Amino acid sequence: MKAIGYRKSLPITDADALIDVEIDRPTPAGRDLLVRVEAVSVNPVDTKLRRNASPANGDLRILGFDAAGIVEAVGPGVTLFRPGDAVFYAGAIDRPGTNSEYHLVDERIVGARPASLSVAEAAALPLTAITAWEMLFDRLGLPREGGEGKSLLIVGGAGGVGSIAIQLARRLSKVRVLATASRPETADWVRELGAHDVIDHSRPMAEQVKALGLAGVDYVFSTNATDRHFPDLVELVAPQGHIGLIDDPEPIDVRLLKRKSVSLHWELMFTRSLFQTDDMIAQHELLTEVSRLVDAGTLRTTLTETLGRIDAATLRKAHALIESGKARGKVVLEGF
């Protein structure tokens, strides 16, 4: 089968940063599904791994997490799906990735694909939807169907995670949603997705929060540049508030949170699959709910661009776009 991988960490401008290869098609065992991949999206984690995690001894590593496709075959322990089912999912960080024609994935982290979306539109959603959902509702404790009088700030609102987090918070709670954006087109995007207020993260944010009439923000969801923004976030968060982060910041001084008794929360959507936690199936349930909400018109895809076919040349373009920091929403590749 066709696949795209890398053998050495190289700048994305290098032709060997990602290469086309032919590898054997895997066979499902246990609770694995063998999925025929139809579309994939590219996330910052793909670029971080390519840049920083060189395979040992020049071995091949296949990246890719988000995928939408069709179940081709199932392992003997599978109970949730059968061949022919249309699915979407975000994969696991400790297994070969989705940048391949066929891919193995545990059924407990897979959802039924939204019937109302194209395959490309569906591929844009899983990783960011899981990350945003787990941070908002599992980590920060945002109240479902409640939260009147409370406020949430999403730093990096126009990115992939921010784009779905705005929708989830606005549609599934009653909190006031603030999102950051630093360019006119990204500010328009986050408003379109449902943000009540837009803040420019290139300027001091605490002052802008006060200008909105808020004494402090109850929940902060930082998707990027947490180390750069941290003193500002400490200033603007409300006493006994919550700050959650998903990036890999330089060291931050958590002692600054003590005076306000602020809680700090980490989110990594790979934790459940990486440690095979007892509640691993929660991601299947989460994606099933996301699919239902999409088909009900409550949530929309965050796809902004389909770059082309799934091959090394197109993936290099996608990685370069992500690394530029100018991506809006999600970038997808479709078909081999």
Side-chain angles (χ1 to χ4, degrees), residues 5 11 13 16 41 61-62 100 106 138 153-154 185 194 197 200 234-235 244 257 293 296 328 334:
T13 52
D16 290 330
S41 74
R61 179 168 188 175
I62 298 171
S100 57
D106 191 299
D138 295 349
L153 172 65
I154 300 171
E185 60 269 30
D197 306 283
D200 183 351
V234 172
E235 183 179 352
L257 302 175
L293 290 167
R328 178 174 61 91
E334 181 178 0

Side-chain angles (χ1 to χ4, degrees), residues 11-312:
I12 199 57
T13 52
D14 194 303
D16 290 330
L18 291 167
I19 57 174
D20 293 302
V21 295
E22 288 276 345
I23 60 174
D24 293 335
R25 184 190 301 190
T27 301
R31 299 193 70 173
D32 277 345
L33 310 175
L34 177 67
V35 176
R36 174 167 51 83
V37 175
E38 297 179 301
V40 300
S41 74
V42 180
N43 294 281
V45 65
D46 295 84
T47 69
K48 291 175 185 176
L49 289 171
R50 194 207 77 250
R51 293 196 309 265
N52 302 315
S54 258
N57 306 314
D59 292 340
L60 178 73
R61 179 168 188 175
I62 298 171
L63 294 172
F65 298 100
D66 277 329
I70 301 294
V71 176
E72 189 81 4
V74 300
V78 167
T79 61
L80 301 174
F81 298 96
R82 59 186 180 183
D85 286 346
V87 296
F88 73 149
Y89 59 91
I93 202 167
D94 57 345
R95 302 186 71 176
T98 58
N99 294 333
S100 57
E101 283 188 282
Y102 295 89
H103 181 250
L104 291 180
V105 61
D106 191 299
E107 65 170 347
R108 289 170 291 177
I109 57 173
V110 176
R113 200 162 82 205
S116 59
L117 296 185
S118 70
V119 67
E121 291 170 332
L125 286 173
L127 185 146
T128 53
I130 294 170
T131 300
W133 188 295
E134 290 185 347
M135 174 60 85
L136 292 174
F137 303 120
D138 295 349
R139 314 295 177 226
L140 292 176
L142 200 73
R144 290 281 302 271
E145 309 304 332
E148 298 93 334
K150 299 290 187 179
S151 55
L152 162 73
L153 172 65
I154 300 171
V155 181
V161 173
S163 293
I164 191 66
I166 291 169
Q167 296 183 69
L168 289 171
R170 184 65 194 272
R171 306 289 179 249
L172 302 184
S173 81
K174 296 180 181 178
V175 301
R176 181 174 176 178
V177 180
L178 291 66
T180 77
S182 60
R183 293 177 284 142
E185 60 269 30
T186 52
D188 289 344
W189 172 251
V190 300
R191 287 191 184 95
E192 181 184 336
L193 293 171
H196 292 96
D197 306 283
V198 181
I199 285 177
D200 183 351
H201 53 247
S202 69
R203 300 189 291 112
M205 291 186 286
E207 295 176 8
Q208 297 175 70
V209 168
K210 290 178 183 176
L212 292 172
L214 294 171
V217 174
D218 301 286
Y219 307 96
V220 176
F221 185 168
S222 180
T223 70
N224 57 44
T226 299
D227 52 320
R228 189 167 77 241
H229 297 308
F230 195 66
D232 212 6
L233 300 180
V234 172
E235 183 179 352
L236 66 82
V237 71
Q240 302 184 90
H242 304 264
I243 296 177
L245 61 152
I246 60 171
D247 58 336
D248 301 295
E250 294 299 316
I252 55 177
D253 188 356
V254 297
R255 294 173 298 180
L256 298 175
L257 302 175
K258 181 178 181 179
R259 188 164 177 264
K260 288 184 174 179
S261 298
V262 170
S263 302
L264 187 68
H265 308 261
W266 284 96
E267 160 62 18
L268 179 68
M269 62 132 293
F270 299 117
T271 295
R272 282 178 161 128
S273 59
L274 188 61
F275 293 96
Q276 298 282 300
T277 60
D278 291 341
D279 65 347
M280 185 170 159
I281 201 168
Q283 291 191 344
H284 161 72
E285 295 163 351
L286 187 164
L287 287 174
T288 299
E289 179 66 2
V290 167
S291 185
R292 185 191 68 78
L293 290 167
V294 168
D295 286 339
T298 304
L299 300 177
R300 54 174 280 191
T301 182
T302 52
L303 169 67
T304 53
E305 188 172 5
T306 303
L307 288 184
R309 299 186 68 79
I310 307 169
D311 59 27

